[in-house]
Amino acid sequence: MRKLGDLEALVMEQLWSSSEPLSVRQVLVALPDGRNRAYTTVMTVMDNLFQKGFVARERAGRAYVYRPSQSRAEHTAEVMEEALSLGGDRGAALLHFVGQLAPP
C-alpha cells in the first residue's frame, strides 16, 4: 500500500492546496513549523515522493518545481481500494465504513 509518512503527508497537503507547482523553498515556508525544518530535509522528502511517483517535477531555472501526480481525491480512492482489497468481504467493509461517516 502506498502510504505517506507524516512529513510526506504535510508536503502533499501543500502541493494539493496549490494551483501552481511549488519549489522546495515554497513548500518549506508553507509547512507548519517550516522554519524549524532543514531545507535539505524537505528536499529529500520531495525527491522521495518523486521517486515513489506521488509527484512530478520539472526544471525551473536551477531548481525543480513539483506538482502532485494525482489529485487528493484520486489518491484517497486508491488508498481505499487497496484497503478494501485486503479484507475478505469488500461489501461488508464498505458498508461498515459508510455507517461510521458523520452526516453532512
Side-chain angles (χ1 to χ4, degrees):
M1 186 177 297
R2 294 182 356 149
K3 184 171 175 5
L4 294 169
D6 292 341
L7 186 51
E8 289 176 330
L10 289 173
V11 167
M12 289 304 299
E13 285 299 323
Q14 296 307 314
L15 294 172
W16 280 322
S17 298
S18 176
S19 60
E20 299 292 324
L22 298 176
S23 68
V24 172
R25 176 78 52 209
Q26 290 170 308
V27 171
L28 174 65
V29 169
L31 287 174
D33 299 326
R35 298 191 195 290
N36 296 329
R37 297 183 196 279
Y39 176 91
T40 53
T41 299
V42 176
M43 182 175 63
T44 299
V45 167
M46 292 177 78
D47 185 59
N48 290 344
L49 288 168
F50 172 73
Q51 298 299 327
K52 293 177 181 180
F54 284 102
V55 299
R57 70 182 181 193
E58 59 188 56
R59 282 262 184 212
R62 294 178 44 198
Y64 286 109
V65 289
Y66 296 80
R67 61 177 170 72
S69 297
Q70 53 184 192
S71 70
R72 183 189 332 251
E74 290 169 328
H75 173 71
T76 300
E78 184 178 290
V79 170
M80 289 175 65
E81 171 63 29
E82 289 176 8
L84 286 171
S85 70
L86 296 175
D89 186 346
R90 295 168 57 111
L94 190 54
L95 284 172
H96 183 71
F97 172 75
V98 172
Q100 290 181 338
L101 294 176

